[in-house]
Amino acid sequence: MKKIRTILHTINTIKKLEVKGLRSYSCVLFILNILKSLNEVYSIIMLKIIFDILYTKKIVLISITICILLIISFIFEYVINKMHSIILPRIEQSLKASIDLKILQNINTISLSDYDNSKTYDKIYSCIALGSNSVMEYIQNCANMISSILSIIGVLLIIGYYDWLFVFFTILFVFFDVFLNFKKSKVEYDKSIEMIPPDRTISYIQRLFCMKQYIGDMRIYDWFKVVKDKYISASNTKQSCIEKYGKKSLRIITELNFLQLSLQLVIIIYLAVKYILNSIKLSDFLVIYNGIMEISGNFMSLVDYIPNLYKCSLYIDLVNDIFEQKISTKETSRIERVDNLKIKNLFFRYKDDTIFKNFNYTFKKGESYVIYGKNGSGKSTLVNLLTGLYDSQNSIMINDNIINNHSNILECVSVVFQHFQFNAFSIVENLVMHSSVTLEEEKSIYKVLDCVGLKEKIENFPNKLNTYITNELDQHGANFSGGELQRLAIARMLLNMKEIIIMDEPTSALDNDVKREILDIVLENTRNTIFIYITHDPNDMQKFDHIIYLGDEYEKSL
């Protein structure tokens, strides 16, 4: 009963998702399945009419009747095929895009620290991989169930017209069929659970060979030996699992086949006796036999839909959890001007380690700050706290006002992260977040690229700013070295200047001369901002107004 309640509760959950195209998709799917049910019933009725009309031996009547029946059948099939091939896929894709984008939009608001929680990460991964498909599969299963029920009712009425004993035979068969199918579903579920660990291992190994950053270490240190052993071990585990549950499934499938053959034998013998006794015609024989087989097939489908609905319900609950992380629409006062950025009584723990304890500091507009310290001292963690990616528990203030909406601080901050990222789209999309740039914007982009030493390289590309970064999505894409990507990251920051600038070890891949040159350019362009520069290199500190050392004690010196 708990599983049934979960399945029914999911209907309300899907209604609450409020995504574009959900109602249209549901309506089209239900209409399509109703038409399929009518077509199944019509096929049985058509069979009887054709056989009955053959007894008249009137060629003209036979020809006209068959033509009319076939035209009706053709219309049914045409409408069903058009809905299935054109209308439904179009709406389905639109709905999938709406659900996927809403999932991604909500995931984009999750705190960075939540990614360190394995349960939260699994939830995010499952939603991205299976979320939209589970919603659509649930609706499809519901529509298919209604279609099967309508088909069963229609065919039962036809069979009951002849002899209700046939209905009794069918219900008796269905009772045993349901019992055996539930046993089969349980075996398949147990098998799928036991297959997760080896499947995960194999999937991870396959991903390793798709990620460029792993190839070097893999070949230098000959990871392949270890990878091969792990793959073989996982494959052997899967084979054992397949054999173990294959034997159980075979036993149940054999029992189901025996049951089906027994039903067919009983029905055929009973119909044969009635036919010999002239109680029914040959057309009635065929209609009843095909009808009973149709009912048994639909009942078997119904049994399969229930565990599928339950499985989809579990994934939809995960989607709902993500959807309930509402994107903040609360009206908050826009920060027009940043005079200071204050850290007040900051306490932050990462897993079991206390990174900051009662940390206080004030950054003022028009001044530059360098933060340095040993690895693991909390430099990059401080960046994530200042940008709202980690929850600071109301310890971050702008203009002496507590920032409780992370989107507010993001409006004021430009960052070059230590582990910055670029997507595999065009250079211009990576730099200014859109592809259609005006002539003035293009001039500004090239001016900044000239500052970081990349203008000439990019101008020489056939597609210039529209050149894709890497050739993952475009075979004519360009590859950049680590130092060039750092320059692009700095260019992106300069093109998206905000009132607070944070750079986390942004020049580690550059040589000293280029580093000094770019740092001078950044300092020149950030005079009217709060500029925070994070490094572990003492040589970078001379040009800054303030030095902040993160160590065992928080020390501040001018």
Side-chain angles (χ1 to χ4, degrees):
M1 287 302 295
K2 183 180 178 182
K3 291 182 179 180
I4 299 299
R5 284 197 299 271
T6 301
I7 291 170
L8 295 175
H9 174 71
T10 303
I11 297 173
N12 291 325
T13 303
I14 290 176
K15 286 180 181 178
K16 291 192 298 181
L17 295 182
E18 297 178 354
V19 289
K20 182 181 177 182
L22 184 61
R23 185 171 295 178
S24 300
Y25 179 71
S26 301
C27 289
V28 170
L29 199 58
F30 279 99
I31 291 170
L32 175 61
N33 279 278
I34 288 170
L35 287 174
K36 285 181 179 179
S37 301
L38 291 174
N39 193 33
E40 287 178 4
V41 174
Y42 172 75
S43 296
I44 294 173
I45 294 172
M46 183 177 73
L47 188 66
K48 173 173 172 51
I49 292 172
I50 289 173
F51 271 91
D52 284 345
I53 203 73
L54 290 174
Y55 283 111
T56 64
K57 297 182 180 179
K58 296 178 179 178
I59 296 175
V60 175
L61 180 61
I62 291 171
S63 301
I64 293 172
T65 303
I66 290 177
C67 283
I68 292 171
L69 291 173
L70 289 177
I71 289 170
I72 295 171
S73 180
F74 176 80
I75 292 170
F76 261 119
E77 292 293 339
Y78 178 78
V79 173
I80 289 169
N81 288 333
K82 184 175 182 179
M83 292 183 71
H84 192 73
S85 303
I86 300 174
I87 299 172
L88 188 63
R90 186 174 64 240
I91 299 173
E92 187 176 88
Q93 181 55 42
S94 175
L95 175 60
K96 179 176 171 57
S98 297
I99 297 171
D100 284 342
L101 288 173
K102 192 165 183 180
I103 289 172
L104 296 175
Q105 188 178 18
N106 281 269
I107 287 173
N108 198 38
T109 66
I110 294 174
S111 172
L112 191 63
S113 57
D114 288 337
Y115 282 79
D116 297 320
N117 183 309
S118 59
K119 289 184 179 179
T120 303
Y121 183 83
D122 287 346
K123 184 186 294 185
I124 292 170
Y125 181 83
S126 297
C127 283
I128 292 173
L130 300 165
S132 57
N133 289 335
S134 295
V135 173
M136 291 188 291
E137 189 178 343
Y138 183 92
I139 298 170
Q140 288 168 1
N141 280 321
C142 287
N144 289 337
M145 282 186 71
I146 291 174
S147 173
S148 294
I149 290 169
L150 290 175
S151 295
I152 289 167
I153 292 171
V155 177
L156 277 175
L157 290 174
I158 294 172
I159 294 173
Y161 170 79
Y162 292 100
D163 191 336
W164 283 101
L165 187 60
F166 293 120
V167 177
F168 170 75
F169 281 140
T170 305
I171 293 173
L172 185 65
F173 163 75
V174 167
F175 174 79
F176 289 108
D177 185 72
V178 168
F179 173 73
L180 290 173
N181 268 289
F182 265 112
K183 283 179 64 179
K184 183 169 172 279
S185 297
K186 181 64 169 60
V187 169
E188 289 174 352
Y189 174 78
D190 291 341
K191 176 186 173 184
S192 67
I193 295 298
E194 199 166 315
M195 293 276 270
I196 288 174
D199 277 337
R200 186 185 301 158
T201 301
I202 290 172
S203 176
Y204 174 73
I205 290 170
Q206 290 170 336
R207 289 204 315 276
L208 283 179
F209 287 86
C210 296
M211 294 186 282
K212 185 178 178 181
Q213 61 267 36
Y214 284 90
I215 299 301
D217 289 303
M218 189 181 296
R219 293 180 183 176
I220 294 296
Y221 297 106
D222 200 10
W223 283 8
F224 189 76
K225 292 179 181 178
V226 177
V227 168
K228 180 181 177 183
D229 290 341
K230 293 290 184 184
Y231 191 98
I232 291 172
S233 176
S235 179
N236 289 339
T237 302
K238 286 189 69 173
Q239 288 177 21
S240 299
C241 185
I242 290 167
E243 185 176 353
K244 172 184 172 183
Y245 289 100
K247 291 177 180 178
K248 293 182 179 180
S249 294
L250 177 62
R251 185 170 64 251
I252 296 170
I253 291 169
T254 302
E255 292 171 357
L256 276 169
N257 289 338
F258 178 78
L259 184 65
Q260 290 168 352
L261 290 172
S262 299
L263 175 71
Q264 291 179 28
L265 182 62
V266 170
I267 295 297
I268 289 170
I269 291 172
Y270 185 70
L271 286 172
V273 170
K274 292 181 75 69
Y275 178 72
I276 291 169
L277 296 175
N278 293 321
S279 299
I280 58 172
K281 300 176 183 176
L282 179 60
S283 60
D284 299 331
F285 184 107
L286 293 172
V287 166
I288 295 169
Y289 179 77
N290 287 331
I292 290 173
M293 293 301 104
E294 188 77 40
I295 289 172
S296 65
N298 277 300
F299 265 114
M300 288 173 66
S301 297
L302 278 176
V303 173
D304 289 335
Y305 294 143
I306 294 172
N308 284 337
L309 283 170
Y310 180 67
K311 179 191 70 176
C312 293
S313 297
L314 297 178
Y315 285 119
I316 291 169
D317 282 343
L318 296 180
V319 174
N320 189 49
D321 288 345
I322 295 293
F323 273 33
E324 286 182 347
Q325 296 192 171
K326 298 291 185 183
I327 298 172
S328 177
T329 54
K330 183 181 177 181
E331 290 293 329
T332 55
S333 57
R334 186 181 180 86
I335 301 171
E336 300 293 342
R337 173 188 171 90
V338 177
D339 294 317
N340 63 68
L341 173 65
K342 185 178 290 186
I343 303 171
K344 185 176 181 180
N345 300 326
L346 174 63
F347 180 89
F348 184 78
R349 289 177 63 86
Y350 183 78
K351 297 184 179 178
D352 296 328
D353 296 327
T354 299
I355 309 299
F356 293 103
K357 184 177 181 181
N358 198 31
F359 180 45
N360 296 274
Y361 197 79
T362 300
F363 302 93
K364 296 180 180 179
K365 183 176 180 178
E367 299 185 11
S368 60
Y369 302 81
V370 61
I371 300 175
Y372 80 103
K374 298 177 181 178
N375 289 335
S377 59
K379 301 187 298 296
S380 295
T381 301
L382 184 60
V383 174
N384 291 329
L385 288 162
L386 290 174
T387 53
L389 296 177
Y390 282 169
D391 186 0
S392 65
Q393 301 296 321
N394 298 328
S395 295
I396 306 298
M397 307 172 73
I398 291 180
N399 301 337
D400 299 317
N401 296 315
I402 293 172
I403 301 299
N404 49 27
N405 185 346
H406 87 282
S407 62
N408 276 18
I409 195 168
L410 290 177
E411 292 176 358
C412 308
V413 180
S414 290
V415 186
V416 178
F417 289 102
Q418 181 179 7
H419 302 293
F420 58 85
Q421 298 294 330
F422 286 99
N423 56 54
F425 302 138
S426 69
I427 295 169
V428 67
E429 287 170 321
N430 274 279
L431 293 178
V432 295
M433 315 312 139
H434 60 271
S435 56
S436 300
V437 293
T438 64
L439 187 61
E440 287 300 315
E441 284 178 310
E442 187 175 321
K443 288 179 180 178
S444 298
I445 293 170
Y446 277 120
K447 183 179 178 181
V448 170
L449 290 173
D450 190 31
C451 290
V452 298
L454 288 175
K455 179 183 177 184
E456 185 177 350
K457 179 182 176 80
I458 291 173
E459 279 186 324
N460 287 329
F461 292 146
N463 294 323
K464 295 183 170 49
L465 289 173
N466 291 314
T467 303
Y468 273 53
I469 295 177
T470 78
N471 53 13
E472 183 173 348
L473 299 179
D474 186 342
Q475 63 177 339
H476 303 297
N479 290 311
F480 292 85
S481 67
E484 288 173 333
L485 288 173
Q486 277 199 334
R487 296 185 198 190
L488 272 180
I490 294 168
R492 177 168 62 188
M493 181 272 295
L494 291 170
L495 287 164
N496 296 275
M497 288 280 285
K498 306 285 180 66
E499 293 190 78
I500 301 169
I501 304 297
I502 302 175
M503 300 178 73
D504 187 0
E505 310 233 20
T507 56
S508 58
L510 304 178
D511 60 56
N512 289 330
D513 290 339
V514 175
K515 182 192 298 187
R516 282 193 294 270
E517 183 182 338
I518 288 180
L519 186 54
D520 287 340
I521 292 168
V522 173
L523 284 166
E524 178 66 27
N525 284 275
T526 57
R527 285 180 177 178
N528 295 319
T529 70
I530 296 172
F531 180 35
I532 302 170
Y533 187 88
I534 294 172
T535 184
H536 64 273
D537 186 351
N539 296 321
D540 293 340
M541 301 175 190
Q542 301 170 4
K543 300 181 180 181
F544 290 85
D545 300 323
H546 304 273
I547 299 173
I548 305 169
Y549 173 71
L550 296 183
D552 296 332
E553 296 285 337
Y554 306 117
E555 301 175 9
K556 300 176 282 295
S557 59
L558 293 176

